[in-house]
Amino acid sequence: MSEEILEKLDKLAVHCMMMDDKLGDLMQIAEASQKIDELRDIFSKSDNPEFCAIFKGLSKVFEKYILGYGEAGKGPEVIKLTNEGVEITKNVLQGTSIISDILPRVEVLIGSFKELFSIEIPFAKSKPEVEPATVSLDMNIEDLTASMLKEASQDADKVKGKKVTRTEITLLDENDVVIYEGFLDEGTDLLNKIESDLIALEENTGNMDILNSLFRAFHSLKGAAGFLGMNEINYFCHETENMLDQARKSILTVDSEVIDILLAARDMLEKGLTAISETVEVGKKKLPNFKGFCESINVEPLVDLIDKKLFLASKEADDDDDTNPRLGEILIQENAVTPRQLKEALERKEKPIGEVLVEMGATSKQAVDKAVQEQLIKKKGVVAHSVKVDTSKLNLVLELVGELVIAQAIISENQVLKNEQNNKLLKDINEMAKITNGIQDQIMGLRMVPLKQTFSKMNRLVRDLARKTGKQVDFLIEGEDTEIDRTIVDELNDPLVHLLRNAVDHGIDSIEERVAVGKSPNGTILLKAYHKGGNVVIEVQDNGRGLNLERIKEKALERGLIESGREYSEAEITSLIFEAGLSTQKVATEISGRGVGMDVVKRNVEKLGGKVDVTTKSGVGSTFFIKLPLTMAIVDGMLVRVGDERYIIPTISIAESIRPTKSQLTTVVEKGEMVNVRGELIPLVRLNRLFGCSNGNKDVTESLVIVVATESKRKGFLVDDLLGQQQVVIKNLDRRLQGIKSFSGSSILGDGLVGLIIDVGGVFDLVSS
């Protein structure tokens, strides 16, 4: 019966969590009311008059709202009282409190029914109960886990499953207050260190220094909590410390799920410290000789998750040489049974494990049959193996393969091979070229990593920012499996952080503003990635207020970024937000408002060879686009001749190529030479003049025009000849040449000479200035 009641209490808590302060969702209210009535009926037939009184009172409160004569503005009180009733009941049912402990809280709760809602609920008190078992802080983690799995020991120095005594704070005088406040300060510092270490560990999961640092932090917090008798925190740190110890011993693999569990553990401990802090604050006002219980934190769901993770890890370590999956492991992975139930079933050896679990009532026969089928499938499967390689070694291999490709191209272009007698050798070299290119493609594939890890880190950032700003934000992620070069991923963190900070602080409007214009109180931010035309595009969308174009224009005029009296397009105005020092915030906050974030975004993205753009609509929201190359190691390019020189134009920027006729050429005042392409006048850029090349075709009609485009502009590059399309290995320019706008790098061509890679956006900026 208690399991049924706990399930109903958990569902009621979920309904409360889904309610807004105005209690506007009648469906949630009706479902919560139904659960309250069910609990009221259950307790009316039991020997627990306290619980019966709680749910009778809550039933009458919800009845008022459903019938439409509830008191306006008291939605938060309704939710708070319901949560308190749930918490009181669960504390007793789970064994963390006894009836005598919770009586004062019950009396306060029933008093609130009368004071806030004029509902009187009389009740008689239960007879005193025996104090539940307490946790022994000297107990090691192995004994603790074994006791939890067996669920047999009732001794006072053991832990039975979820029975952990609540933390009691005793403050005799001011000296005790100083001790507790010192613990809280130290605990807060440790939690901050834990969070920063976990973020670092997520990027370098095999770093033993970080793992040891995390272990020490949890161990220090556990020791301090144990010294002060804080049972819940001590017990929970014990479990988490064990998880880290298994990771240090390489029994447990640190993956994204482990990081998520540890972050959740850190947040749970923060709740525990907050509860202690609140109790200490109350105690300071009631000195001397204050005694009080802290609000309990429900650590058991996380402890169960840790148990499951450790169980699977230990089984995997034991069965390293056995590729056949175990039935019990599959059932645990499918959440059909718990590690505790499997442990108990394994102790009964008279029957197959599946039959034992069904007889115990732990799972159904259908679930076991399904697991057996999955086991058979997995036995036939192929086991994939992987190894971790240092990035610097991978980069070195790629560089060597790049040199191999260049060397192969140089050999292929050797004039000696053009002799008819060398046909066999030429054929063999071409065959080698295919193998070389295949190796290059495979090495490039090894450099590609999914964006999932980078995107998942942003979840916590948005959640924390929403909490700081008092906004309700739903954060959605799409396309996290999109792959991109590892070197680009490493540099992508800062631009995304700045964009998401601005989306939360600037983009999403406050709850009051959203409700006033008929929007949902919850804002939405979408982080999305996808492939497009050989590039990776990352979008950051928000459904907030949109950019204030008038305000941007006003601030730009103040800073002299634009001219007064001139008309500017919407695209030109929105692009101004990327200027350094421009901010529409009247007051700078700790999150944004200093005018440096968007400038950093643009600079970092362009450093990666990408572009950033934005679209916006007032009252609807904004979308920022980051367009990046798949890799910074190679580029697909069109080799062109300009005079006696050869250049490489990235094919991603090429729209088309034409041989112009005289009728297509014209000159526009203050805009220079233009070429008419199907009715569109495109500015003509003579690359021979721009780059100082000689001996080019003097007649434009004997040359070729390559139409290149960025996001918003198109120009025609005049070249003498197209020499072919090829994939080239990018070489960085010498640092003395890196300031030249028109080139992004270089490559060694087939004859061993250098060809410069044209930066299309840089050329556009150069000819426009």
Side-chain angles (χ1 to χ4, degrees), residues 644-703:
D644 294 333
E645 303 295 333
R646 289 169 299 173
Y647 299 96
I648 300 158
I649 302 175
T651 53
I652 188 64
S653 301
I654 298 175
E656 61 180 312
S657 61
I658 61 171
R659 187 178 296 278
T661 61
K662 286 186 178 180
S663 61
Q664 289 179 286
L665 301 172
T666 185
T667 302
V668 177
V669 178
E670 296 184 354
K671 291 190 177 181
E673 292 179 290
M674 311 286 281
V675 57
N676 189 325
V677 180
R678 293 183 296 278
E680 179 186 2
L681 288 178
I682 298 174
L684 191 65
V685 179
R686 292 179 180 260
L687 293 183
N688 61 333
R689 293 179 184 174
L690 186 67
F691 298 153
C693 302
S694 58
N695 299 326
N697 292 334
K698 296 184 179 180
D699 190 343
V700 176
T701 57
E702 297 177 8
S703 304

Side-chain angles (χ1 to χ4, degrees), residues 58 102 132 316 324 329 351 392 498 505 530 546 553 561 618 634 745 748:
L58 290 174
I102 57 95
E316 188 176 328
N324 292 336
E329 295 171 31
K351 291 183 179 180
S392 60
H498 284 296
D505 200 28
Y530 53 90
K553 190 174 179 180
L561 298 174
S618 180
I634 59 173
I748 300 175

Side-chain angles (χ1 to χ4, degrees), residues 529-554:
Y530 53 90
H531 290 288
K532 183 179 180 181
N535 284 43
V536 171
V537 180
I538 298 173
E539 295 183 15
V540 178
Q541 301 177 16
D542 69 73
N543 66 345
R545 58 173 70 92
L547 296 177
N548 187 336
L549 300 183
E550 288 301 318
R551 179 71 174 156
I552 293 171
K553 190 174 179 180
E554 178 186 323

